[in-house]
């Protein structure tokens, strides 16, 4: 069945926002169509997909906007305000009164929609389109009655189909020194690379190479050269020998024409505030003279999870009327990081990895939510400091994969800058989904990758994310607190120095104390000058090589393999450091004889489960326990039992 397009009404009333929300000058409805081929979701019914474009106008003199870097230099309209235009996509119940009155704002990751993959197990590219019935995946969000919105916030990427962006002012004529890093994971030469910003005309470029981050930069190497191939692209001729596919190349150059990137925070603030509070015909979530949104939750994955931490830290959860924007925030796989966005020539897409740039400005103090003193920098700060001053703090559920505790300094969520245990504030919960990579598609399977030393970890974090969204909804609607935090902690003995992480040697599961460091640096010079270091700890593993703490999804609770949040690079691809964003999986031996022949200390499948019935009973028992703890929904428990009956988990062998 083809999607039927509904009439689009672009009346004056539908174009202009009300005076009460004048920050949104214009909300243009570009297209309204039936979502998911008209698929119906229980009592909620069918959904509409609305494509729009919103123009905001920001007063640079307002203290809530003055925090935006370079806002005072931006061109202004006739009212003295700075304008920006955001792509917007809405998916809402066709009959708003059937929804749950909650707006879920999925902050785009590099312009992409990721909430459907995590909450609905939807596959790309359908998760972005919402065209076919299958694009809704499980239909969890829709059956719950959520309205969903995506607001383009990233102003250094183009707007195009499948990529939401923000058109923000350029500061023409401004220049600045920039460096970009590239790890190609191939040996082609020359290698093409896109720089973060355009090259200033007539200025030199420089390139260096090194085998790892902690090795000296080398510029005078036979075969190494650099040329500009476009306004923002380069070609790097690579040395014929001495450096493998995982070598680190650094390009230094003078960039031009920065964009006021911090307007992305204002766009998210103002458009979400408009949707949840404006009652005019301009608001597609309004009916009978008022918005049908009573609550709003902000969700973001990786880059956009770090965006939410910065959004909170910079004070943007207070709208221009002084009210909270989001009642709840759910940053996912953000670790203890923020973003290098709200600065001139910021790099929103940059995510330092092990070993790459431990002193990048995205990862500076404060790391955690409560206000702490940092003797390393001499500052006192916290992510909740500004919202507490304005009484606009949301409830926060931060979820991280285990990978974030190895590669994104997750320990700094629950330690101070001297490495001592701290408690999370009462409005914050944190959960580590043990044994998971940074992100896995819903249909990921165990496989091998040439650049990774171990098989790829296929675990998808959808089940606990669904349970925790239900918990967040209850927390902000009726005050029911969510389950207690489930993360490694120094006070519990489950957060340890890297050398003590794996107490038992397991053949085929090598670990050499690898993790991403944290440092304070002077970033006003290139390269940055390290001024001090912060202690970083990692999760303690059990005798199966899996993290003791955190949420144990059923593949860990009733294992057929060991799952880790780390995976070393393979020989030829920069060995000796972690491969970015990945974890590993190592199947268990089938029998005691097989494991003893391998000197594997992990009990075999036969030693754990007498037969298939015993395995199914163990899955059922673990699922029931997690449902009781509100870490697994009953419907996900039923899916897990069905999968176990089909022996899908056994296919990992």
């Amino acid at each position: 069945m083809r999607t039927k397009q509904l009439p689009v009404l672009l009346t004056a009333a539908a174009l202009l926002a009300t005076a009460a929300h004048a920050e949104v000058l214009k909300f243009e409805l570009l297209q309204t169509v039936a979502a998911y081929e008209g698929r119906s979701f229980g009592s909620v019914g069918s959904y509409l997909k609305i494509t729009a474009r919103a123009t905001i106008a920001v007063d640079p003199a307002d203290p809530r906007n003055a925090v935006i870097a370079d806002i005072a230099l931006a061109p202004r309209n006739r009212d003295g305000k700075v304008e920006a235009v955001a792509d917007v996509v809405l998916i809402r119940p066709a009959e708003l009164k059937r929804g749950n009155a909650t707006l879920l704002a999925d902050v785009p990751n590099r312009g992409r929609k990721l909430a459907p993959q995590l909450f609905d197990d939807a596959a790309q590219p359908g998760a972005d389109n919402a065209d076919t019935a299958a694009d809704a995946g499980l239909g969890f969000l829709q059956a719950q009655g959520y309205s969903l919105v995506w607001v383009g916030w990233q102003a250094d990427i183009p707007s195009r189909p499948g990529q939401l962006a923000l058109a923000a002012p350029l500061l023409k004529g401004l220049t600045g020194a920039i460096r970009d890093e590239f790890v190609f994971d191939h040996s082609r030469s020359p290698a093409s690379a896109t720089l973060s910003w355009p090259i200033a005309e007539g200025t030199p470029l420089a390139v260096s190479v090194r085998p790892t981050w902690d090795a000296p930069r080398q510029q005078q190497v036979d075969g190494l050269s650099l040329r500009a191939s476009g306004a923002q692209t380069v070609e790097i001729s690579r040395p014929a020998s001495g450096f493998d596919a995982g070598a680190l190349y650094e390009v230094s150059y003078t960039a031009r024409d920065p964009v006021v990137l911090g307007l992305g925070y204002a766009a998210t603030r103002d458009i979400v505030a408009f949707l949840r509070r404006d009652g005019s015909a301009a608001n597609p979530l309004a009916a009978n003279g008022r918005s049908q949104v009573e609550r709003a939750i902000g969700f973001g994955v990786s880059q956009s999870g770090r965006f939410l931490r910065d959004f909170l830290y910079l004070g943007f959860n207070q709208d221009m009327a002084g009210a909270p924007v989001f009642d709840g925030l759910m940053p996912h796989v953000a670790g203890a990081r923020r973003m290098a966005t709200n600065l001139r020539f910021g790099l929103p897409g940059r995510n330092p990895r092990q070993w790459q740039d431990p002193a990048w400005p995205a990862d500076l103090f404060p790391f955690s939510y409560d206000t702490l003193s940092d003797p390393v920098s001499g500052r006192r700060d916290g992510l909740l400091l500004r919202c507490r001053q304005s009484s606009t703090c949301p409830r926060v559920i931060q979820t991280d994969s285990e990978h974030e505790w190895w590669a994104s300094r997750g320990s700094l969520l629950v330690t101070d800058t001297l490495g001592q245990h701290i408690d999370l504030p009462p409005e914050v919960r944190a959960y580590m989904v043990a044994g998971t990579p940074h992100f896995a598609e819903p249909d990921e399977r165990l496989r091998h990758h040439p650049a990774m030393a171990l098989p790829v970890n296929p675990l998808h974090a959808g089940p606990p994310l669904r349970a925790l969204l239900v918990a967040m909804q209850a927390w902000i609607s009726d005050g029911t607190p969510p389950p207690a935090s489930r993360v490694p902690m120094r006070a519990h003995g489950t957060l340890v120095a890297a050398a003590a992480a794996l107490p038992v040697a397991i053949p085929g599961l090598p670990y050499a104390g690898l993790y991403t460091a944290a440092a304070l640096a002077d970033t006003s010079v290139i390269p940055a000058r390290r001024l001090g270091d912060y202690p970083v700890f990692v999760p303690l593993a059990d005798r199966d090589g899996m993290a003791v703490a955190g949420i144990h999804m059923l593949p860990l609770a009733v294992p057929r393999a060991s799952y880790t949040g780390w995976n070393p690079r393979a020989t030829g691809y920069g060995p000796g450091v972690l491969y970015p964003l990945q974890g590993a999986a190592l199947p268990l031996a089938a029998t005691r004889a097989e494991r003893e022949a391998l000197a594997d200390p992990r009990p075999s499948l036969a030693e754990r489960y007498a037969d298939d019935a015993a395995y199914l009973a163990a899955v059922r028992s673990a699922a029931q326990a997690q449902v009781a703890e509100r870490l697994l929904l009953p419907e996900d428990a039923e899916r897990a039992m069905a999968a176990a009956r089909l022996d899908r988990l056994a296919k990992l062998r």
Side-chain angles (χ1 to χ4, degrees):
M1 183 176 69
R2 295 182 63 84
T3 299
K4 180 180 178 182
Q5 184 165 328
L6 303 179
V8 179
L9 302 178
L10 295 179
T11 64
L15 288 174
L16 300 177
T18 65
H21 294 281
E23 298 80 29
V24 177
L25 285 184
K26 190 188 304 182
F27 198 91
E28 301 174 83
L29 304 181
L30 305 178
Q31 185 185 55
T32 301
V33 299
Y36 312 118
E37 292 181 301
R39 175 179 168 182
S40 184
F41 301 91
S43 62
V44 180
S46 61
Y47 269 70
L48 299 178
K49 176 183 174 182
I50 300 167
T51 304
R53 184 168 52 224
T55 302
I56 65 166
V58 171
D59 180 2
D62 191 294
R64 287 165 290 195
N65 300 323
V67 69
I68 298 172
D70 285 335
I71 188 70
L73 303 179
R76 306 186 186 192
N77 65 16
R78 66 179 63 183
D79 296 322
K81 295 184 178 181
V82 177
E83 294 187 12
V85 181
D87 298 327
V88 181
V89 173
L90 276 160
I91 297 179
R92 45 146 281 199
E95 294 185 50
L96 283 170
K97 64 182 179 182
R98 293 191 177 190
N100 67 358
T102 302
L103 177 64
L104 179 64
D106 177 22
V107 178
N109 175 301
R110 292 165 175 81
R112 302 167 300 170
K113 310 181 184 88
L114 293 184
Q117 293 186 71
L118 278 163
F119 292 118
D120 289 329
D121 287 5
Q124 288 284 40
D128 260 356
N129 300 329
D131 290 336
T132 72
D135 290 347
L138 299 175
F140 168 77
L141 292 173
Q142 296 77 10
Q144 295 283 313
Y146 285 98
S147 291
L148 296 105
V149 66
W150 293 268
V151 176
W153 63 269
Q154 194 171 342
D156 64 335
I157 60 174
S159 172
R160 62 190 181 202
Q163 182 167 285
L164 289 84
L166 180 75
L170 290 173
L171 303 180
K172 288 190 174 292
L174 288 183
T175 61
I178 294 293
R179 63 189 174 96
D180 279 322
E181 292 179 347
F182 303 99
V183 177
F184 296 110
D185 280 336
H186 63 70
S187 299
R188 295 189 295 274
S189 184
S192 298
T194 300
L195 302 176
S196 299
W197 293 97
I199 304 164
E201 291 84 351
T203 59
L205 295 88
V207 63
S208 67
V209 63
R210 48 194 156 153
T212 59
W213 168 261
D214 53 346
R217 294 172 173 84
Q218 300 181 51
Q219 292 181 304
Q220 305 303 317
V221 180
D222 287 344
L224 178 65
S225 65
L226 173 72
R227 77 171 188 90
S229 55
Q232 200 171 334
T233 57
V234 295
E235 284 189 349
I236 300 173
S237 294
R238 305 168 71 179
S241 62
F243 299 91
D244 68 11
L248 179 64
Y249 293 83
E250 184 176 83
V251 176
S252 302
Y253 61 104
T254 300
R256 60 175 171 85
D257 302 339
V259 179
V260 185
L261 296 175
L263 282 168
Y265 300 109
T268 302
R269 174 195 65 195
D270 294 345
I271 294 169
V272 172
F274 165 76
L275 291 170
R276 72 171 296 183
R277 295 197 168 93
D278 189 272
S280 76
N283 183 2
L285 298 183
N288 302 318
R290 70 179 184 87
S291 172
Q292 301 301 293
V293 176
E294 297 175 6
R295 295 167 293 275
I297 297 171
F299 176 75
V301 179
S302 189
Q303 181 208 37
S304 49
R306 293 182 286 122
F307 174 95
L308 286 178
R309 284 168 52 86
D310 248 11
F311 180 92
L312 179 63
Y313 171 64
L314 294 170
F316 283 97
N317 204 50
Q318 180 189 19
D319 71 15
M320 300 308 289
V325 177
F326 293 111
D327 304 285
L329 287 183
M330 296 185 69
H332 181 57
V333 292
R337 291 177 157 166
R338 293 188 286 114
M339 300 190 77
T341 295
N342 191 40
L343 67 162
R344 186 177 297 178
F345 293 112
L347 301 177
R350 179 74 171 274
N351 182 28
R353 297 163 180 174
Q354 201 265 340
W355 277 84
Q356 281 180 253
D357 207 348
W360 186 245
D363 302 316
L364 301 181
F365 177 83
F367 305 104
S368 195
Y369 289 91
D370 234 341
T371 302
L372 302 172
S373 294
D374 174 28
V376 182
S377 65
R379 298 174 54 211
R380 182 172 175 79
D381 211 342
L383 299 185
L384 294 175
L385 177 62
R386 287 163 182 79
C387 69
R388 283 177 172 169
Q389 293 170 345
S390 60
S391 300
T392 56
C393 286
R395 306 285 174 85
V396 178
I397 288 180
Q398 176 162 335
T399 51
D400 285 299
S401 74
E402 185 186 319
H403 181 79
E404 269 47 65
W405 292 73
W406 302 88
S408 297
R409 303 134 178 169
S411 66
L412 287 165
L413 282 175
V414 290
T415 65
D416 63 19
T417 57
L418 297 179
Q420 300 168 332
H421 169 87
I422 59 171
D423 291 320
L424 291 167
E427 60 265 63
V428 177
R429 297 289 189 277
Y431 306 90
M432 181 187 79
V433 187
T436 52
H438 180 73
F439 188 87
E441 300 283 349
D443 58 353
E444 181 66 278
R445 293 291 181 267
L446 186 76
R447 58 187 173 87
H448 292 270
H449 188 285
M452 301 181 209
L454 300 172
V456 175
N457 185 326
L459 293 189
H460 171 66
L465 264 291
R466 287 188 281 274
L468 291 173
L469 179 60
V470 170
M472 172 61 88
Q473 179 74 5
W475 202 11
I476 64 175
S477 59
D478 61 27
T480 301
S485 293
R486 300 291 183 93
V487 294
M489 291 187 179
R490 297 286 286 161
H492 297 170
T494 54
L495 190 61
V496 299
L502 271 68
V504 177
I506 299 174
L509 201 64
Y511 177 69
L514 304 176
Y515 65 93
T516 301
L520 174 68
D522 176 5
T523 57
S524 66
V525 296
I526 294 180
R529 184 169 61 93
R530 291 177 71 166
L531 304 175
D533 294 276
Y534 297 103
V536 173
F537 301 93
V538 299
L540 174 69
D542 61 17
R543 296 185 64 83
D544 287 330
M546 297 190 287
V548 173
I551 296 174
H552 283 210
M553 293 195 298
L554 295 178
L556 274 75
V558 190
R560 301 183 75 93
S562 293
Y563 299 94
T564 73
W566 51 270
N567 197 330
R569 283 183 168 271
T571 300
Y573 293 88
V577 297
L578 297 177
Y579 193 87
L581 309 181
Q582 297 296 330
L586 185 67
L588 298 171
T591 64
R592 178 174 180 174
E594 180 182 330
R595 78 167 179 86
E596 288 180 343
L598 297 170
D600 190 339
R602 301 172 300 162
S604 66
L605 293 174
E607 292 172 290
R608 293 169 191 260
Y609 317 113
D611 51 29
D612 287 345
Y615 171 68
L616 289 172
V619 173
R620 183 182 299 108
S621 176
Q624 290 172 346
Q626 292 187 17
V627 170
E629 294 173 309
R630 294 190 297 144
L631 298 172
L632 185 71
L633 298 179
E635 54 266 37
D636 277 319
E638 293 175 5
R639 292 187 190 101
M641 285 304 303
R645 292 187 190 99
L646 291 172
D647 206 24
R648 288 182 182 173
L649 295 179
K651 291 182 180 179
L652 290 175
R653 284 200 42 77

